[in-house]
Amino acid sequence: MANLVLIGAPGAGKGTQAERLVRDHGLLHISTGDLLRRAIAAGTPLGQKAKAAVDDGKLVPDEVVIGLVNESLSQKTDAQGFILDGFPRTLEQATALEVLLEEMSEPLHHVIVFEIPIVSLADRIAQRAAQSRGSGADVRSDDNAEALSRRVDEFARATVALLPFYDQRNLVRRIDATQSIEDVATQIGSLFAK
Ligand code: B4P
């Protein structure tokens, strides 16, 4: 069993690796980005509240995402653990998560930090946008240069501050996210062998 948090800049590969972890280890995948995009597509009140921030590449208010995660974690039934992908992104979210997990008597095992230089991100995001266009799928509203630059700024402003928080708790596992998808998966897989 493993309860994981994935932290990384936009395009670092969190979603890609989360899918593999679900397939290989039967973990429950909770992506706040996916949950927000679903709420926006469905036009729910929460989605309407979040839309402008997501489209602009800004962070959605803490209370909105904390509520979403709270709801999703309560659905953890027979999964072998969970992956929080893109949550927490602020110290307030990290503190709320700590309280929530304590109440659920669930430990956090690893905080996996995807290390990648900012210059590599634009290419990956542009590639994803091109793939979506090529297959006739919708391009994500925040997969453009302007929103990406804000997403990167938000990561540097709010999310990098989580590293000392989780370092103090001895949970940080740094991985080299510049490697191929397969090699990144191998690095993450080695955590399960310990
Ligand atoms: P997310 O959906 O979490 O988007 P992201 O951090 O930008 O990651 P993304 O999915 O793009 O990248 P990934 O690493 O999977 O959040 C979107 C928005 O929602 C935020 O900007 C914010 O507005 C809001 N939000 C979400 N959570 C929030 C929170 N907690 N608090 C407040 N607001 C919140 O990888 C991207 C691509 O790279 C992949 O599609 C793949 O094609 C490619 N790739 C992956 N690994 C690769 C590799 N090893 N080599 C080459 N390419 C690779």
Side-chain angles (χ1 to χ4, degrees):
M1 180 193 141
N3 292 333
L4 312 175
V5 161
L6 309 187
I7 293 181
K14 306 177 295 290
T16 306
Q17 296 300 326
E19 274 175 30
R20 297 179 68 117
L21 285 162
V22 170
R23 190 191 68 199
D24 298 345
H25 299 281
L27 306 181
L28 173 72
H29 180 200
I30 301 171
S31 156
T32 40
D34 287 349
L35 291 171
L36 290 167
R37 281 186 287 279
R38 242 174 268 148
I40 292 168
T44 65
L46 189 149
Q48 288 169 16
K49 228 195 243 178
K51 185 174 181 347
V54 171
D55 286 353
D56 280 356
K58 294 187 186 139
L59 292 181
V60 170
D62 287 331
E63 65 274 15
V64 173
V65 276
I66 291 167
L68 278 174
V69 170
N70 198 344
E71 204 180 294
S72 302
L73 277 175
S74 66
Q75 289 160 15
K76 178 182 174 289
T77 45
D78 54 353
Q80 295 300 302
F82 59 77
I83 312 162
L84 288 168
D85 163 7
F87 181 93
R89 265 176 154 97
T90 65
L91 274 176
E92 288 73 13
Q93 294 177 17
T95 309
L97 176 64
E98 199 161 66
V99 172
L100 189 62
L101 293 181
E102 229 167 77
E103 284 169 5
M104 294 172 70
S105 303
E106 285 281 356
L108 195 56
H109 297 100
H110 305 293
V111 173
I112 304 177
V113 178
F114 289 63
E115 295 192 313
I116 184 164
I118 299 298
V119 288
S120 312
L121 303 174
D123 281 351
R124 288 192 182 183
I125 295 295
Q127 201 184 340
R128 178 165 64 190
Q131 271 166 2
S132 301
R133 244 177 253 115
S135 65
D138 288 339
V139 175
R140 258 174 62 167
S141 60
D142 57 349
D143 273 354
N144 57 70
E146 209 177 309
L148 174 64
S149 144
R150 267 193 229 105
R151 283 153 70 195
V152 169
D153 287 349
E154 291 284 60
F155 177 74
R157 179 187 65 81
T159 310
V160 168
L162 298 183
L163 302 187
F165 178 91
Y166 284 123
D167 252 334
Q168 277 167 13
R169 288 153 179 78
N170 203 20
L171 289 172
V172 172
R173 322 285 178 240
R174 290 182 164 77
I175 55 137
D176 177 0
T178 63
Q179 303 293 308
S180 68
I181 292 174
E182 208 55 52
D183 288 348
V184 173
T186 304
Q187 293 179 62
I188 295 176
S190 70
L191 295 173
F192 286 81
K194 287 174 186 165

